[in-house]
Amino acid sequence: MTALTLSTSAPAALRSDAIVVAVAKGAKGRPVVVAGAEAVDKAYDGKLAAVLETLGASGGEGEVTKLPAPSGFKSPVVLAVGLGDAPEKGETFDGETLRRAAGSAARALAGAESAGFALPLDSAEYAAAIAEGALLGAYSFTTYRAGAAQKAAADQEKKDKSAPLGEVVLLGGKPKDKAYKAATERATALVGEVHRARDLVNIPSNDLFPKSFADIALAVGKEHGLKVEVLDEQDLREGGYGGLLGVGQGSANPPRLVRLVHSHPKAKKTLALVGKGITYDSGGITLKPAGHNETMKCDMSGAAAVFAAVVTAAKLGLEVNVTGWLALAENMPSGSATRPGDVLRMYSGKTVEVLNTDAEGRLVLADALTRASEEKPDAIVDVATLTGAMMLALGNRTFGIMANDDAFRTSIHEVAEEVGEQSWPMPMPRELLKAMDSTVADISNMGERMGSGLVAGLFLQEFVGEDITWAHLDIAGPAFHEGAPYGYTHKGGTGSSVRTLVRLAERIAAGELV
């Protein structure tokens, strides 16, 4: 992973591949130099903004402009990244603006060994945002590039232009300041696990299936002192986990339920996280139409996020007990697959009529939610790429939040906003529950088409234990990015909701929530 250091070095004295500065869009669309770049601007005789304008820069969000460094600089290039509109007088840039700008700069510097970031660092909060953005931007997934290892061995002298930026140096940082040091250490730990989630989502389904995912959880859990328990297909059968078994029975790769536990001796609260882990979703017998299968390796993004969040809690030593549940299955069509009209007996004892085998995520989550509820945690949050309806409602960058407690739903929305993840609170209209009435079972797995993202949440609520605070995050939109990269977001798996879950755990540890 990319190295991160705080430095008091002057920009001119740092020996690196580039010095990064920030500019904003000022009056009449002209670039304005932002705090942190004063020394660089001075080296251009106070004309850095004018030079950038000549080169066509405006300071627009994510805009990247490279120019030769001034005479006397030990770094050959200055990279100016745009922050968007300059704030009004008395206002400042928010953390997410700086996070995205640092990410854009890091992406533009792929292949470089190091870069100094001369961005606003007048608080530990700014340092944290810039560190996170730069580290998130410094990512690549090249595991499956043909001959990558052989090429690297034969070409050691040459720089790999696709490799992530090797080192991020925060200029103007305070290495001896406890707050700055803690902020950057947290950023390194957190982003390392976001990258783990991204990697898991990007691994193709022929290599990541329920057993191999569970094996990774066992190995990583051991490394970080987590207690890990894996229920295989025989355990699931003996335990009566009809949802997991029903979804997975059409696949040659049987399902798994993984329990990971971070515990702290001083913890006063317990947070349970439940993740949908469909390692490939064909839709089952209700087969997905052409054009909807190609990215279905990402249907385990919720489980990846939960896994990463629990590991992060352990890395940071959070004073809260965090239990992660990974509901892992592969949804395939075959002679043994669950058919539309079949009835499954869930772990809770309730029966579910399966009207659509492509509404499988809620079935595996239902078993895991019931099992998690048995431990009586103070709160449960499930995370899933659950419904296309949520994407229609909120687009590709925003996840929906549903909950059985309005205050808890609001708190999660505020936490997501704090860490820079786009979210929106969604209602749970009780009248939609009737649409899931079944003539042969306790409930069916489908309801009304209109509001079907809300119907899915109402279904899940039926499997949450009494008097347990619960929330559901539908990350179907932001979990996998298919468009052009932007900010710190690359194509492919994004690690959506990891930062929100970790910050939620931190706030619970601090006694602020639940």
Side-chain angles (χ1 to χ4, degrees):
M1 182 175 157
T2 300
L4 175 67
T5 57
L6 292 164
S7 175
T8 57
S9 175
L14 183 71
R15 198 178 297 278
S16 68
D17 292 290
I19 300 296
V20 178
V21 297
V23 291
K25 182 182 287 188
K28 300 181 180 180
R30 292 176 175 172
V32 178
V33 177
V34 172
E38 294 88 350
V40 179
D41 186 34
K42 185 177 180 180
Y44 283 102
D45 296 325
K47 298 179 180 179
L48 176 57
V51 173
L52 289 170
E53 185 177 6
T54 300
L55 294 174
S58 67
E61 182 180 349
E63 178 187 79
V64 171
T65 307
K66 293 182 180 180
L67 61 161
S71 176
F73 271 53
K74 293 183 179 179
S75 301
V77 171
V78 168
L79 184 149
V81 61
L83 300 180
D85 292 338
E88 298 292 330
K89 188 175 182 181
E91 297 181 354
T92 58
F93 292 102
D94 61 37
E96 179 61 5
T97 297
L98 295 174
R99 195 179 285 112
R100 291 189 181 186
S104 294
R107 283 194 301 104
L109 290 167
E113 292 182 3
S114 68
F117 282 65
L119 302 182
L121 277 180
D122 49 346
S123 70
E125 289 73 22
Y126 272 10
I130 294 166
E132 285 179 23
L135 294 176
L136 287 167
Y139 172 80
S140 68
F141 184 73
T142 59
T143 303
Y144 293 87
R145 296 292 183 186
Q150 296 89 330
K151 182 180 178 183
D155 231 16
Q156 290 182 6
E157 298 295 320
K158 297 180 181 179
K159 293 181 180 179
D160 181 356
K161 292 184 179 180
S162 66
L165 172 63
E167 182 184 20
V168 171
V169 182
L170 300 187
L171 298 174
K174 301 175 181 179
K176 296 182 180 180
D177 185 291
K178 291 182 179 180
Y180 279 76
K181 186 178 179 181
T184 52
E185 287 178 348
R186 178 188 181 278
T188 300
L190 174 62
V191 175
E193 292 311 308
V194 174
H195 286 347
R196 189 192 302 279
R198 287 171 161 180
D199 286 348
L200 287 167
V201 175
N202 288 330
I203 294 173
S205 301
N206 57 322
D207 281 346
L208 191 75
F209 42 90
K211 182 182 183 302
S212 63
F213 196 154
D215 288 343
I216 291 170
L218 282 166
V220 174
K222 182 178 181 180
E223 178 185 353
H224 294 285
L226 300 175
K227 180 180 179 182
V228 183
E229 176 187 4
V230 178
L231 300 185
D232 63 18
E233 66 270 34
Q234 183 175 340
D235 298 321
L236 294 172
R237 195 172 298 112
E238 291 174 355
Y241 292 85
L244 275 157
L245 290 167
V247 172
Q249 70 186 39
S251 172
N253 294 306
R256 296 286 187 271
L257 179 62
V258 180
R259 176 177 180 265
L260 307 103
V261 181
H262 158 70
S263 57
H264 194 285
K266 296 182 179 179
K268 296 180 180 179
K269 298 286 185 179
T270 296
L271 171 66
L273 304 175
V274 178
K276 173 186 173 183
I278 303 299
T279 57
Y280 184 76
D281 182 18
S282 69
I285 297 298
T286 315
L287 195 66
K288 291 181 183 291
H292 290 73
N293 286 284
E294 290 77 5
T295 61
M296 281 299 101
K297 66 180 183 179
C298 80
D299 213 17
M300 37 60 66
S301 296
V306 166
F307 179 31
V310 177
V311 177
T312 306
K315 281 185 172 181
L316 298 177
L318 299 186
E319 292 185 14
V320 58
N321 296 327
V322 183
T323 303
W325 299 87
L326 315 183
L328 308 177
E330 187 174 68
N331 188 26
M332 297 292 284
S334 74
S336 61
T338 294
R339 297 155 291 242
D342 285 357
V343 174
L344 304 177
R345 186 171 295 278
M346 311 298 283
Y347 179 72
S348 68
K350 290 183 181 180
T351 54
V352 176
E353 182 183 12
V354 179
L355 298 181
N356 186 326
T357 64
D358 195 23
E360 85 300 328
R362 65 199 69 182
L363 299 175
V364 301
L365 286 173
D367 276 354
L369 284 167
T370 302
R371 177 65 184 87
S373 296
E374 289 181 343
E375 298 185 354
K376 302 295 183 184
D378 295 286
I380 299 176
V381 178
D382 77 72
V383 188
T385 48
L386 204 61
T387 65
M390 201 60 66
M391 298 171 68
L392 291 174
L394 300 177
N396 292 323
R397 297 189 183 184
T398 303
F399 62 76
I401 309 170
M402 301 171 69
N404 61 4
D405 181 277
D406 288 348
F408 191 52
R409 181 187 61 189
T410 299
S411 294
I412 292 177
H413 175 52
E414 291 172 350
V415 165
E417 188 174 61
E418 178 186 346
V419 301
E421 294 198 293
Q422 294 174 219
S423 69
W424 196 251
M426 303 295 285
M428 297 189 71
R430 295 297 298 176
E431 65 270 16
L432 294 178
L433 189 59
K434 185 170 178 56
M436 288 185 283
D437 285 351
S438 168
T439 58
V440 298
D442 295 321
I443 191 172
S444 67
N445 75 330
M446 290 293 289
E448 293 183 21
R449 180 171 178 269
M450 299 302 175
S452 55
L454 311 182
V455 169
L458 287 163
F459 178 91
L460 294 177
Q461 187 178 19
E462 293 297 298
F463 297 88
V464 177
E466 289 186 15
D467 302 320
I468 296 177
T469 300
W470 160 80
H472 160 58
L473 311 187
D474 190 335
I475 62 171
F480 196 84
H481 181 60
E482 296 185 72
Y486 66 94
Y488 49 77
T489 301
H490 295 254
K491 294 190 73 168
T494 63
S496 175
S497 79
V498 175
R499 289 180 287 144
T500 296
L501 296 178
V502 171
R503 186 68 187 119
L504 177 65
E506 288 175 325
R507 290 192 62 183
I508 292 174
E512 298 172 4
L513 292 176
V514 178

